[in-house]
């Protein structure tokens, strides 16, 4: 519960993060979203409280200030002391946290949230009421003087109005009806006292708010989380102690074991950067949780002391082509912009062999922007580029399409080698995250396949995530931003011929992108040319904006399903990027921990997990 | 003019040097684009506002529209009053971040340094005394093994053997244990061992070569003839002259007492020290922490130079700075 929270657009692929809201593709095929019975076996008595639960993460947490945090791992830490408004439980059922319910009775235009009446902040802020949420949205999330991590969720494009309609009641009106509004994750908020925010709002002091001691130390959180933060030792550990007054104890209608939750006296979240140390700690019992890389899964499965859970998650492994002016640095033009060429590259990589070889069979090949277990996956077959069992894979399939694509250019084939107008072999660079071995193996596999089937040389290069983000992924805002057709921030600073990042690049595997299986309309930003997230400069050759708009405003589930099916069919055909695989999280838990489940919502009831004696 | 005057002048010089470095850093920073200004214009563009206007507002808010000399004075006074700014990647003041990291670095770097400067010359002396014997070869082999094997690799191997297989040491570094406790000793023994084996090689070889010159010197033969004990000969008559050329390296190591952070060992053993602090800040472009750490190391290096010169006079009375 609360671990997932705000779902980020992009995440570093390769795993290593704290378990989030997730269950498995391979082992619970067809049941990855869980069912209503996905709960631990009911007990006649409640578990004993005591002991310590320890978890390890691979990188330090930068901030615990929920207003500005954008990291999933930090969100997991914050959730130990401060629950958000709501979550989901198996079967995609609404889990009421700070907002007991969020309902509509007019087809999704107006939503009414009920705030629980047993929540309180630490002194001197008193009770949590609807006013705290409404004030936060109106004065902070919608303000222009600061950019919070949830600004986009509360802007005028997303919300028409929000108002308090009772002490514990909030009414949200949307610009267009949206039946899946909760599934967009937009209404997720942390409760923050109005009294704490007011001085900063009055002064429009963004830096002060960012550095506020109470926000950074989570000392205002009263009974709003299962634990209280005792100590945050930067770069090493966060230690939490049990909160006896946790408000969800009264929510036994959601889950009966909440009655005495949490069941540990102490929760320790430890930072261990070295992977072998994390795995060693899991093996010796020094931690109760660690992420396991695919090549070590079988070893840990053989251990009695560890349970390995294969948990589906929403991020894919896309091979991103840079279609902006500083992409395709091997010769004139940019062949990535040609649909035919992208489809040809789609035929170059054997996705089934990739999944079997690199991911040890634990992943699933990706042919369109949705995992197969999603209820929105099209029922009709989609084009399966890179499936060796069809005619969309191999040298012939790749080269014949490339030849068509380059017919009007000076590029040509010399034997099996694709050469540029100067007669040199086409050579592209491909970035992957430094230190991520699985990602590196994926990059090397892609390089081999491109060389074998397309006659293209690929240079695999490792890069630090932060460096890639700043110098390659984000564009610089042009000086004449006002005069451009659009300029939507660093991730889409303008048309692809005008706005580029600081350094040139050709292809990347650094980021996994979120496919939003609960509500795929949220992912429209990846496919609309003037959206706020288009670092790669993709211009769809299909009516993406119109179709996504149609999906967002669908008046019934049937209409939504058929529109999304059309969208996914178009994406599979247009190949905006090389969609390679869906990789689950491989999570290792101590075998005496009761609670983890192999479905997408694993962790929804994490506050009620316990150790079996 | 005595030694006191020399030391006073050197301390003043140290302050001057740091002042120059601080000034150059300010110049470089002032010339570079400010990330906050860039962020403000980005935000404006994102919300359909005017990026140029937002850029000007941000410059005004951050005080970048003031004359350069005003900003310079403000900057220098902040540096010397330890107002080093806020770390965005740690959400705490920079000085607090450095002090916290120093606390953990010191816990392994003090024993590491002391053991290195004690064991290195002694093993070198032992080798010289037993030149070309199997004992010499064993000591040399040990020194070269430690020198050659990468610290992080050796650390991982020892962690796997003693932590995972034998379970004698904890896998994860625990910041909760008391500094002077058995638990802390147990968790630090392997990192310190790895670092000591990695650093004594060079010191040991220099000591061995220097000591070899004196083992058969006339004054040593005289001492032997007078019946002086073998330990006194080696520790008083051979080791002391040996240490004068070695002291350049030795004092360098002494600086490690508090600042000898080893990034790779800190990563492998999960110690939240200075090495990881600086490295993470560089990667994440946390300018304030990078600047703070650099200034801190600058202060230490200038003071270290001074100490090095003074140590010469203690080891060899023939060296005298009092007339300088």
């Amino acid at each position: 519960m609360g671990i997932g929270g705000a779902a980020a657009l992009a995440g570093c692929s390769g795993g290593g993060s704290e378990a989030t809201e997730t269950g498995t593709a391979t082992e619970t095929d067809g049941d990855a979203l869980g069912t209503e019975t996905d709960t631990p076996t009911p007990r006649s008595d409640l578990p004993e409280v005591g002991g310590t639960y320890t978890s390890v993460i691979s990188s330090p947490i930068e901030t615990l200030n929920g207003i500005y945090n954008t990291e999933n791992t930090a969100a997991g830490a914050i959730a130990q002391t401060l629950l958000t408004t709501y979550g989901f439980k198996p079967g995609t059922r609404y889990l009421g946290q700070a907002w007991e319910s969020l309902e509509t009775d007019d087809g999704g235009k107006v939503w009414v949230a009920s705030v629980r009446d047993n929540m309180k902040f630490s002194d001197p802020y008193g009770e949590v009421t609807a006013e705290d949420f409404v004030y936060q949205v109106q004065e902070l999330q919608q303000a222009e003087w600061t950019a919070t991590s949830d600004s986009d969720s509360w802007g005028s494009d997303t919300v028409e109005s929000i108002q308090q309609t009772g002490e514990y009641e909030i009414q949200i009106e949307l610009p267009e009806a949206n039946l899946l509004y909760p599934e967009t994750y937009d209404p997720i908020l942390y409760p923050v006292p109005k009294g704490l925010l007011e001085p900063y709002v009055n002064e429009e002091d963004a830096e002060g708010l960012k550095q506020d001691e109470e926000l950074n130390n989570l000392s205002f959180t009263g009974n709003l989380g299962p634990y209280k933060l005792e100590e945050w030792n930067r770069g090493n550990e966060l230690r939490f102690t049990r909160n006896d007054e946790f408000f969800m104890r009264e929510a036994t209608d959601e889950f009966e074991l909440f009655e005495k939750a949490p069941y540990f006296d102490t929760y320790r979240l430890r930072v261990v950067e070295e992977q072998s140390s994390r795995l060693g700690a899991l093996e010796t019992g020094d931690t109760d949780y660690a992420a396991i890389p695919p090549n070590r899964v079988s070893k840990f499965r053989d251990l009695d002391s560890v349970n390995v859970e294969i948990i589906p998650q929403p991020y894919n492994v896309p091979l991103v082509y840079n279609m902006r002016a500083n992409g395709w640095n091997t010769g004139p033009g940019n062949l990535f912009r040609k649909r035919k060429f992208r489809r040809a590259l789609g035929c170059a990589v054997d996705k089934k062999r990739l999944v079997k070889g690199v991911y040890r069979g634990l992943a699933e090949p990706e042919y369109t922007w949705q995992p197969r277990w999603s209820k929105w996956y099209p029922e009709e077959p989609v084009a399966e580029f890179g499936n060796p069992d069809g005619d969309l894979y191999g040298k012939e399939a790749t080269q014949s399409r490339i030849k068509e694509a380059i017919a009007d250019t000076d590029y040509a084939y010399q034997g099996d080698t694709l050469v540029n107008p100067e007669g040199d072999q086409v050579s592209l660079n491909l970035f992957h995250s430094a230190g991520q071995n699985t990602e590196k193996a994926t990059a090397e596999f892609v390089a081999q396949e491109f060389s074998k089937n397309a006659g293209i040389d690929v240079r695999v290069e490792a890069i630090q995530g932060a460096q890639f983000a700043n110098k390659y992924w984000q564009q610089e805002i042009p000086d004449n931003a006002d005069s451009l057709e659009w300029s939507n921030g660093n991730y889409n600073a303008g048309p692809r011929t005008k706005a580029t990042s600081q350094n040139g690049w050709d292809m990347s595997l650094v980021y996994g992108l979120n496919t939003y299986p609960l509500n795929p309309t949220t992912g429209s930003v990846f496919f609309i040319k003037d959206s706020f997230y288009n670092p790669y400069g993709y211009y769809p050759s299909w009516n993406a904006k119109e179709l996504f708009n149609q999906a967002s405003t669908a008046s019934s589930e049937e209409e939504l399903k058929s529109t999304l099916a059309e969208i996914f069919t178009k994406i599979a055909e247009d190949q905006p990027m090389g969609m390679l695989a869906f990789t689950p999280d491989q999570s290792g838990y101590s075998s005496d921990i009761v609670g983890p489940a192999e479905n997408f919502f694993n962790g929804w009831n994490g506050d009620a997990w316990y150790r079996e004696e | 003019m005595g030694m006191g005057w020399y030391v006073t002048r050197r301390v003043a010089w140290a302050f001057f040097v740091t002042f120059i470095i601080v000034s150059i850093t300010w110049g470089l920073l002032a010339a570079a684009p400010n990330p906050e200004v860039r962020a403000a214009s980005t935000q404006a563009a994102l919300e359909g506002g005017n990026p140029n206007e937002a850029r000007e507002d941000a410059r005004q808010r951050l005080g970048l529209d003031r004359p350069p000399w005003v900003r310079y004075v403000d900057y220098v006074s902040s540096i010397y009053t330890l107002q080093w700014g806020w770390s965005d990647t740690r959400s705490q003041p920079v000085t607090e971040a450095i002090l916290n990291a120093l606390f953990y670095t010191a816990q392994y770097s003090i024993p590491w340094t002391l053991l290195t400067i004690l064991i290195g010359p002694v093993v070198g002396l032992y080798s010289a005394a037993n030149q070309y014997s199997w004992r010499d070869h064993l000591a040399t082999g040990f020194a070269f093994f430690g020198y050659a094997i990468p610290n992080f690799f050796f650390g991982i191997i020892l962690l796997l053997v003693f932590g995972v297989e034998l379970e004698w040491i904890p896998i994860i570094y625990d910041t909760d244990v008391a500094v002077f406790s058995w638990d802390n000793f147990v968790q630090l023994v392997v990192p310190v061992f790895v670092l000591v084996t990695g650093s004594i090689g060079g010191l040991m070889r220099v000591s061995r070569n220097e000591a070899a010159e004196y083992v058969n010197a006339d004054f040593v033969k005289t001492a032997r003839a007078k019946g002086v004990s073998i330990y006194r000969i080696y520790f008083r008559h051979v080791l002391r002259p040996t240490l004068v050329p070695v002291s350049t390296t030795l004092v360098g190591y002494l600086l490690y007492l508090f600042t000898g952070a080893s990034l790779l060992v800190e990563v492998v053993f999960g110690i939240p020290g200075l090495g990881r602090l600086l490295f993470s800040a560089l990667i994440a472009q946390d300018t304030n922490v990078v600047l703070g750490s650099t200034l801190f190391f600058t202060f230490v290096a200038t003071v270290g130079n001074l100490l090095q010169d003074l140590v010469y006079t203690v080891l060899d009375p023939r060296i005298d700075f009092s007339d300088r």
Side-chain angles (χ1 to χ4, degrees), chain A residues 62-63 147 211 216 232-237 239 268 270 272-273 277 280-281 286 464 466 470 482 487-488 490, chain B residues 42-43 45-46 50-51 86 89-92 104 159 163-164 171-176 268 270 272 276 283 285:
Chain A
E62 293 189 356
T63 182
Q211 297 173 15
N216 278 294
W232 178 15
N233 194 324
R234 267 70 163 183
N236 185 263
E237 181 187 14
R239 196 171 55 250
R268 297 179 81 179
R270 309 180 75 173
V272 183
E273 294 188 26
S277 301
D286 283 354
Q464 291 289 344
N470 292 324
D482 294 344
S487 184
N488 255 338
N490 285 115
Chain B
T42 302
Q43 182 59 24
L46 197 62
N50 183 340
W86 179 262
T89 59
R90 296 169 63 96
S91 297
Q92 66 181 160
Y104 296 107
L159 206 54
V164 178
I171 306 285
I172 310 178
Y173 181 80
D174 194 345
T175 49
D176 279 353
V268 169
R276 265 174 66 192
I283 294 296
Q285 301 189 335

